[in-house]
Amino acid sequence: MLGLLSAVLAAAPARAERLIVSVSNHRVTVTPNYSGGELVLFGSVEKDATAPPGRGSYDLVVTVSGPRADMVTRRKERRFGIWINTDSRQFLQVPGYLALFANRPFDEIASAEVQRRQQLGLNNVLLMQRVGPDFADVVPNDAFRSAFVRLRSEHGLYREATSAVTFLTPTLFRTGIPLPAEVPIGIYTVEIKLFSDGALVTKTETAFEIVKVGFEQFVATTARQDGLIYGLVTAFMALMTGWMASIVFRKD
């Protein structure tokens, strides 16, 4: 058994490079007047003595994935002069925010097979759906999938940019992570993949959190942790609002 384990370890390729990364802020606070912002991811490629001497150029792909949830895309058609929902597709536990950044086009970084396997680009990211009784991802040009990605992209929640990663030196890099005003609250995972000559060399992860502060967060926390108090306060506020309205609009 020991000999077999040693043979497996010896056969496993040693990683000659490793990634050292960090983000400018690991905790982003969202206030009532939050209108969006941007984080900065920066890092370096650290080589060791086993790194191939001829390897001098790298490619980098950064995938930022926000909190997951079930979502529904509906198809509307105009019938009898009104728009109605005629069909829908449920997407299961898909990211609320999804961004992919690279230093150059994905087709120049890796082959189509590697892009599919490593999920490089929005067309290659798995978006699991409920299709009848089954669960599956579908081809990128599927009407519901295309509409889902387009609608999320219009709100800045899904995006890709193939010139967003900048190598400051052959081993130092940075990229910005834009956060729109509608950014979901929760934990965000940042996966960084390093490529060379079309092959994955190594990868690493980091994370940051987006939290809500202020009165909205107080209301949300109270509703979640103490429903009785939340209900009483809500009823009291409704009564006060009605009373104030009766004073303002009463006829003398």
Side-chain angles (χ1 to χ4, degrees):
M1 178 64 73
L2 182 59
L4 178 61
L5 179 60
S6 300
V8 171
L9 293 176
R15 291 182 175 177
E17 293 95 342
R18 67 189 183 108
L19 292 166
I20 308 298
V21 300
S22 184
V23 291
S24 55
N25 190 357
H26 287 277
R27 190 172 187 267
V28 179
T29 56
V30 175
T31 58
N33 59 349
Y34 180 79
S35 59
E38 183 178 82
L39 296 182
V40 177
L41 172 77
F42 50 90
S44 66
V45 181
E46 300 291 333
K47 299 182 180 181
D48 63 19
T50 63
R55 181 180 290 168
S57 62
Y58 296 102
D59 291 305
L60 209 70
V61 178
V62 177
T63 303
V64 185
S65 180
R68 294 179 176 268
D70 293 345
M71 302 182 191
V72 176
T73 296
R74 293 180 172 85
R75 174 185 291 159
K76 291 186 177 181
E77 294 183 4
R78 189 177 181 87
R79 294 183 179 179
F80 307 107
I82 60 174
W83 290 95
I84 60 174
N85 295 325
T86 59
D87 199 359
S88 65
R89 181 76 58 79
Q90 184 181 24
F91 291 81
L92 306 173
Q93 291 299 296
V94 292
Y97 176 94
L98 180 63
L100 295 103
F101 307 121
N103 61 305
R104 58 178 181 152
F106 299 119
D107 290 339
E108 299 178 10
I109 293 177
S111 65
E113 173 60 24
V114 173
Q115 292 179 57
R116 184 191 62 79
R117 190 167 61 248
Q118 296 297 332
Q119 301 187 51
L120 307 184
L122 288 176
N123 285 341
N124 292 305
V125 173
L126 294 178
L127 298 175
M128 195 62 63
Q129 306 169 42
R130 186 190 300 275
V131 184
D134 299 323
F135 304 92
D137 192 16
V138 295
V139 294
N141 59 358
D142 172 75
F144 282 100
R145 191 187 198 280
S146 298
F148 176 76
V149 172
R150 175 179 56 81
L151 292 172
R152 304 296 291 177
S153 299
E154 289 176 355
H155 290 83
L157 297 171
Y158 276 30
R159 64 180 71 212
E160 69 176 42
T162 55
S163 60
V165 177
T166 302
F167 275 93
L168 306 175
T169 71
T171 57
L172 295 176
F173 58 86
R174 74 178 297 279
T175 187
I177 303 175
L179 302 174
E182 301 178 28
V183 65
I185 305 301
I187 303 295
Y188 286 64
T189 300
V190 184
E191 185 178 49
I192 305 96
K193 294 181 178 179
L194 183 71
F195 294 84
S196 181
D197 297 326
L200 178 66
V201 176
T202 187
K203 62 182 179 179
T204 190
E205 286 188 1
T206 186
F208 62 90
E209 182 182 13
I210 297 181
V211 297
K212 185 181 293 184
V213 296
F215 179 72
E216 288 84 354
Q217 179 60 25
F218 169 76
V219 172
T221 302
T222 304
R224 185 170 56 252
Q225 298 180 355
D226 200 328
L228 178 60
I229 294 179
Y230 173 76
L232 292 174
V233 172
T234 302
F236 176 75
M237 291 178 64
L239 290 173
M240 291 298 297
T241 301
W243 178 69
M244 290 296 296
S246 67
I247 294 178
V248 173
F249 296 106
R250 71 182 177 182
K251 297 181 179 179
D252 295 330

